[in-house]
């Protein structure tokens, strides 16, 4: 079986379905083996998300506290 290289998605149009499937499988297996992950990127995303949460909490904290206190006072008065 002669497998054509699967460099892009247009290669599927020039192949039979079996050849295209084999080429896609080979492409994704190579890609998964070479994937090491992007640890610095995930660390940056995590730190930025934590920073956004802290900033939003600082801005909305007093308003959320007053809403919570009002709700608790209504429940306690019931």
């Amino acid at each position: 079986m002669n497998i054509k290289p699967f460099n892009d998605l247009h290669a599927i149009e020039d192949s039979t379905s079996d050849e295209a499937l084999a080429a896609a499988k080979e492409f994704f297996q190579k890609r998964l083996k070479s994937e090491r992950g992007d640890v610095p990127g995930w660390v940056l995303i995590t730190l930025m998300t934590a920073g956004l949460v802290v900033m939003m909490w600082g801005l909305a904290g007093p308003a959320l506290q007053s809403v919570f206190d009002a709700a608790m006072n209504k429940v306690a008065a019931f």
Side-chain angles (χ1 to χ4, degrees), residues 12 15-23:
I12 215 165
S15 304
T16 64
S17 61
D18 288 338
E19 290 174 336
L21 183 61

Side-chain angles (χ1 to χ4, degrees), residues 30-55:
K30 285 182 182 178
R31 177 130 186 196
L32 287 174
K33 286 180 183 176
S34 68
E35 184 66 35
R36 293 180 175 220
D38 184 17
V39 174
W42 284 108
V43 170
L44 182 63
I45 289 171
T46 303
L47 290 176
M48 289 175 65
T49 302
L52 286 172
V53 167
V54 168
M55 182 183 71

